[in-house]
Structure formats: structure tokens, C-alpha cells
Amino acid sequence: DQQVKQNSPSLSVQEGRISILNCDYTNSMFDYFLWYKKYPAEGPTFLISISSIKDKNEDGRFTVFLNKSAKHLSLHIVPSQPGDSAVYFCAAIEFGNEKLTFGTGTRLTIIP
Amino acid sequence: DAGITQSPRYKITETGRQVTLMCHQTWSHSYMFWYRQDLGHGLRLIYYSAAADITDKGEVPDGYVVSRSKTENFPLTLESATRSQTSVYFCASTVVGATLWDPDTQYFGPGTRLTVL
């Protein structure tokens, strides 16, 4: 039972344009959501997070949007840069559960 | 070197053999985790530890054993490796957070690619 889903395994975007990565979840008890970025042969690195009581969080070129009624999370990257090419994982946690649940990942390729 | 390291980075073994993957962190983080990454599944939690001598099961613990005698080390042992345990294994650590642990400061090691023949 995949509680966190990333339905697009890959996405290609032109450099300078906006990249939008999507994530859907089924567990309404999730309290906190995160996005991680992963380069080949490296571990994931934390990118940005959002609490379930907010609908938007921004950090530089990265913005995460949360739509609780739709159980949908998205990551916007603008403008997209070649260094953004990586696999992006969304993740969610229910506080008190101590377990982070990851999506399956989306491979983002930025085309120069 | 400061940070979180894993060894070996690559390992090939045979079915039925015992394998131990090592994880070492230099921050004295309380929490440590083991995940496996498989195509179509993302990362799944195997075991985690809240402190030395305190460990608990994650989502996919069967076939794995962990121990944590020192805060900085968290080895993962496959007692009798199976082909289904072929995967990339990531260790992570983080500090205590507002509730239990702080997700924003969960740092991952570089991973160990394990192949079981």
C-alpha cells in the first residue's frame, strides 16, 4: 500500500523554465511533508519542507505547495537550472509514528 | 572527516552468506536509520534507533538485524542474504526534534550497493 505516490517517473524541462513535481498521498494523518533531492551515487539531501497547517513554503527558487483537501503536494523550481537535474523524492511523516514514508521518486532532467 | 559514512560502498555476496553494512556518524546524533531503495518503492525504512541500545523495526525489517552499542555506529546485518535483499542501502542520522526527531536535519550517507547472487 503506497501511501505516498509520485505518478510521474520522469520529467524534462527547458533550462530557465518552471519545473513542477507532483506528489499525492492517502494518509490524512500526515503532519509534515518534505522534498529530497538525490544525485547518482549519493544519498538524498533535504530540500524543503512544509507543515500540514500551512499551504505554501518558499526557499529561494524552491516553493512547496500543499493542498490538504486534495491530498496533493507539489514542488516548484523556478527558474530551472542544469544542476537541478536529479531524482526528487517527496516524503511524509506522522508525528509520533517516527517513520518517514517516501514516494517512488521523479527523475528531473533540465535541458540546456 | 565529519559527516556520515557507509562501508563498503559496493558489495557482492552469495545467497545464504552473512553480510554486515557499516554506518558511522561524527555528529553524535541521537537518531539513526537504515533505509533500502528499490525501483518502484522509493526508500523504505528497515530499522531505526533513538539512542545507543535502543532500536526498533521499520517498514521492512524481516531478514535484518541491527545493533547500536555506540552512539556513532549503527551496523546492519543480513544474517542469511537472499536475492530479494539486492538493493541500495542508505544510513541516515538526525537530532531530536520538537516531537521525536527532526526531519529537516536528517542527513543521509552515500549508500551501499549490495548485490546478492
Side-chain angles (χ1 to χ4, degrees):
Chain A
D1 177 31
Q2 193 76 24
Q3 294 189 61
V4 178
K5 300 178 185 178
Q6 293 176 256
N7 292 316
S8 298
S10 63
L11 175 69
S12 294
V13 174
Q14 208 78 31
E15 182 180 357
R17 295 287 187 95
I18 184 170
S19 295
I20 299 176
L21 293 93
N22 294 304
C23 180
D24 296 298
Y25 62 96
T26 58
N27 185 352
S28 59
M29 301 299 290
F30 283 140
D31 297 296
Y32 202 75
F33 302 87
L34 305 94
W35 284 95
Y36 288 86
K37 179 178 179 178
K38 185 184 177 308
Y39 292 120
E42 294 183 11
T45 55
F46 168 75
L47 194 56
I48 192 168
S49 60
I50 187 166
S51 166
S52 61
I53 62 173
K54 296 188 175 181
D55 54 22
K56 178 182 173 182
N57 187 28
E58 197 170 347
D59 184 4
R61 296 185 299 114
F62 303 93
T63 303
V64 56
F65 294 93
L66 176 62
N67 182 334
K68 283 191 71 176
S69 60
K71 294 192 179 69
H72 181 79
L73 190 70
S74 63
L75 174 69
H76 292 211
I77 306 172
V78 56
S80 300
Q81 299 175 352
D84 296 329
S85 293
V87 176
Y88 290 79
F89 291 98
C90 65
I93 187 168
E94 181 183 346
F95 287 137
N97 190 324
E98 295 196 82
K99 298 179 180 70
L100 198 55
T101 302
F102 283 82
T104 51
T106 297
R107 180 178 301 278
L108 175 65
T109 303
I110 305 301
I111 303 163
Chain B
D1 290 335
I4 183 164
T5 56
Q6 293 183 235
S7 61
R9 293 294 313 277
Y10 302 91
K11 177 75 177 177
I12 299 174
T13 191
E14 294 177 338
T15 302
R17 298 236 182 196
Q18 183 179 82
V19 177
T20 296
L21 309 184
M22 303 301 294
C23 178
H24 175 79
Q25 52 105 355
T26 60
W27 296 299
S28 298
H29 283 169
S30 298
Y31 278 83
M32 294 188 76
F33 308 82
W34 275 106
Y35 294 91
R36 58 179 289 175
Q37 183 193 0
D38 304 289
L39 213 60
H41 289 281
L43 279 80
R44 292 180 292 174
L45 182 65
I46 305 170
Y47 268 95
Y48 66 98
S49 168
D53 298 321
I54 301 175
T55 62
D56 208 345
K57 294 178 181 179
E59 186 184 350
V60 288
D62 293 342
Y64 302 96
V65 173
V66 293
S67 61
R68 194 166 175 208
S69 57
K70 292 184 177 181
T71 300
E72 60 268 28
N73 297 325
F74 191 36
L76 176 74
T77 298
L78 289 68
E79 292 194 303
S80 178
T82 64
R83 288 198 182 92
S84 65
Q85 293 177 309
T86 292
S87 186
V88 181
Y89 291 84
F90 290 100
C91 177
S93 72
T94 189
V95 298
V96 173
T99 54
L100 289 168
W101 55 275
D102 184 4
D104 287 10
T105 58
Q106 182 174 196
Y107 295 102
F108 285 81
T112 294
R113 183 175 292 276
L114 176 68
T115 302
V116 183
L117 301 175

